[in-house]
Amino acid sequence: MMAAAQATQPAVGDAYLVGRAQEGYLDAYELLVQRHSGMAYRVALRLTGNHHDAQDVAQEALIAAWENLPRFRSGSSFPTWLYQIVTRRALNKVSRGRPVSSLDLLPALADPAAEPATQTERNLAVDAVTDALLALPFPQRAVIVLHHFEGLSYAEIASVTGSTEPAVRSHLFRARRALGTKLEEWR
Amino acid sequence: MNDPPLVGPVGRPLLAAVTLPCGADVDLLLEQVADGRGTDRDAHQQQCVHCQAALSEFTALWVPVTELAAAPVPAPPGLAAAVMNQIRSHIGDVWYTLEITESGAIRIAARIVAALARDCARMIPGVRVALGRSTQGSSAALAEKATVGHRHPHAAVGVLGRTAVVDLAVAVTYNDPAHQVARNIQRQVITTLRDQVGLQSVKVNVTVDDILGDDER
């Protein structure tokens, strides 16, 4: 019922939906979940390294966001807040965790125009990046994912991680070097 | 793929160096490339062979990172539904009693009534967004008591048993008269719930809390 009707709904802002959800309109929160569950899963996958953990983290984060909605400050950004919850849950999962496996992290990039040899080379390169990313310490992995994969600014990352912009930049310098060094070795 | 890495000063790999022979900071060059500004070369970089070589090397190195970042990662189907099912399981249902006979009670969950009302409201011209919620407050408590511990057929059916209170929050189109749209919503929702569910007494509270322009689609 919700999905079919939703297909014709115009875009309303997150702030509107959060406000209604805080007033008890559960279907407003359902629209937020539909809108942001992809992001939650994607970030969780890149931080934890496997689909199972990523699904757990994404689900827990979205439920935790619902439970903590009364504390959400109006005027704040819901996606930034959700990034914060997902990142913390992913850290908890990884800290408890089993060794990460990059074997099932992402599907191979499919480029119908590419020659098979080129496609294989690209997939190997992507695997190398995935392995290198998962080999980074969690704080460095988080800033790389949030900035270079999710497009967050230094200020937004500082807000997500409870840090400062200079600290974020410093982490990013180190993370890029570490990632680049591993990619150089692979080449 | 098998080219040796560019070397910095003293023959070390480039990323082992802090600066290039021209004094350029290696971290800043890598940041420039990683942030997509590898071709935005300043006056020095346009003239400097060390910087140009490093920027080219870093560009090649960073390509798979950019490709991985651009690769779509679809969420598993059912993730959103799983989240909402778990949330709903924590929220107690409020029930409206439609009929009680010797065979048992026919009840409908208040959230279903709210969903029907919401979907009906979305069909009204001028309505851009409609959200519905279950009965709240004292009406909810009264409706619940009417169905709990019931022993006698028909005893709980009456005003409370068949009365629904629905709250709708709507956003309407800028040029449509909000008051008229709200009235239309009330009329249509009441008719729909009576015809489709058998609810005889329905109170529909409509809050118009946003107005959207035609270009806000």
Side-chain angles (χ1 to χ4, degrees), chain A residues 83-103:
Chain A
Y83 274 118
Q84 187 180 73
I85 300 173
V86 170
T87 304
R88 287 190 184 158
R89 296 263 162 174
L91 172 59
N92 292 345
K93 184 70 86 170
V94 165
S95 304
R96 281 196 297 268
R98 48 186 182 225
V100 292
S101 158
S102 65
L103 295 178

Side-chain angles (χ1 to χ4, degrees), chain A residues 21-101:
Chain A
Q22 286 173 322
E23 291 166 3
Y25 288 93
L26 190 57
D27 48 356
Y29 192 71
E30 185 166 7
L31 289 173
L32 284 168
V33 170
Q34 288 169 355
R35 189 177 283 184
H36 296 293
S37 58
M39 173 272 274
Y41 174 76
R42 185 177 65 235
V43 172
L45 182 63
R46 288 183 169 140
L47 292 177
T48 62
N50 75 79
H51 295 295
H52 232 44
D53 285 351
Q55 195 154 349
D56 287 346
V57 164
Q59 197 164 321
E60 287 168 16
L62 288 161
I63 292 168
W66 163 258
E67 290 168 349
N68 288 286
L69 260 186
R71 284 190 239 155
F72 179 83
R73 284 173 291 133
S74 105
S76 306
S77 157
F78 181 80
T80 303
W81 187 58
L82 186 59
Y83 274 118
Q84 187 180 73
I85 300 173
V86 170
T87 304
R88 287 190 184 158
R89 296 263 162 174
L91 172 59
N92 292 345
K93 184 70 86 170
V94 165
S95 304
R96 281 196 297 268
R98 48 186 182 225
V100 292
S101 158

